[in-house]
Amino acid sequence: MKDFKSYSNERQDKQPDEGAGGSAQSYNHTVELAKVLTKAMSGKNEGQILHTIIAEAERGKREGTLTNQDLDNFYTALSPLLDGIKKRKLREVIIKLKSI
């Protein structure tokens, strides 16, 4: 699985597209992260997925490679795919991760 750190390093290596706004570029990177995570998590149950996301995000926050904005973008990209309870759970996880 590609982790948050690898994803973050890729983002830093790529130059922004000319004329592209920062928020559009952040969104595109978040979409790419969601695609990588979706592929990596195929066949795993909800608990395994949540555990992996939290572990990778905690590591990224501690290493300084994952920002609160990245977490917000991740939530924004995934929340439309979730029902109310799962969306609330993801929001709680994001809030917890932001405090690290």
Side-chain angles (χ1 to χ4, degrees), residues 8 23-24 26 47 53-54 59 62 67-68 76 97-99:
S8 180
S23 61
S26 289
I53 290 171
I54 291 170
R59 190 173 74 206
R62 287 190 176 95
T67 67
N68 288 346
T76 301
L97 291 170
K98 283 182 170 185
S99 67

Side-chain angles (χ1 to χ4, degrees), residues 3 10-11 15 21-23 27-28 34 36 39-40 43 51-52 54 61 68 70 73 75 80 83 88 92 97-98 100:
D3 60 19
E10 276 184 15
R11 282 185 37 201
Q15 296 297 322
S23 61
Y27 179 78
N28 288 335
V36 168
K39 184 177 179 183
H51 176 74
T52 302
I54 291 170
K61 284 289 285 186
N68 288 346
D70 292 331
N73 290 343
Y75 176 80
D83 64 26
R88 196 171 330 133
E92 290 170 6
L97 291 170
K98 283 182 170 185
I100 295 176

Side-chain angles (χ1 to χ4, degrees):
M1 178 185 134
K2 196 177 232 186
D3 60 19
F4 282 104
K5 183 176 181 183
S6 299
Y7 171 74
S8 180
N9 287 340
E10 276 184 15
R11 282 185 37 201
Q12 292 172 3
D13 292 341
K14 292 181 180 178
Q15 296 297 322
D17 297 333
E18 285 192 35
S23 61
Q25 183 179 4
S26 289
Y27 179 78
N28 288 335
H29 290 304
T30 303
V31 169
E32 289 303 314
L33 174 60
K35 287 179 185 177
V36 168
L37 288 173
T38 300
K39 184 177 179 183
M41 300 300 172
S42 179
K44 295 184 180 179
N45 69 36
E46 180 181 332
Q48 292 170 316
I49 293 170
L50 188 58
H51 176 74
T52 302
I53 290 171
I54 291 170
E56 291 299 321
E58 284 178 346
R59 190 173 74 206
K61 284 289 285 186
R62 287 190 176 95
E63 292 175 354
T65 59
L66 183 67
T67 67
N68 288 346
Q69 183 62 46
D70 292 331
L71 291 170
D72 286 337
N73 290 343
F74 183 74
Y75 176 80
T76 301
L78 291 183
S79 63
L81 306 174
L82 305 174
D83 64 26
I85 294 170
K86 291 177 183 175
K87 189 181 294 190
R88 196 171 330 133
K89 185 185 289 188
L90 178 61
R91 189 71 187 133
E92 290 170 6
V93 169
I94 296 294
I95 290 168
K96 176 186 170 200
L97 291 170
K98 283 182 170 185
S99 67
I100 295 176

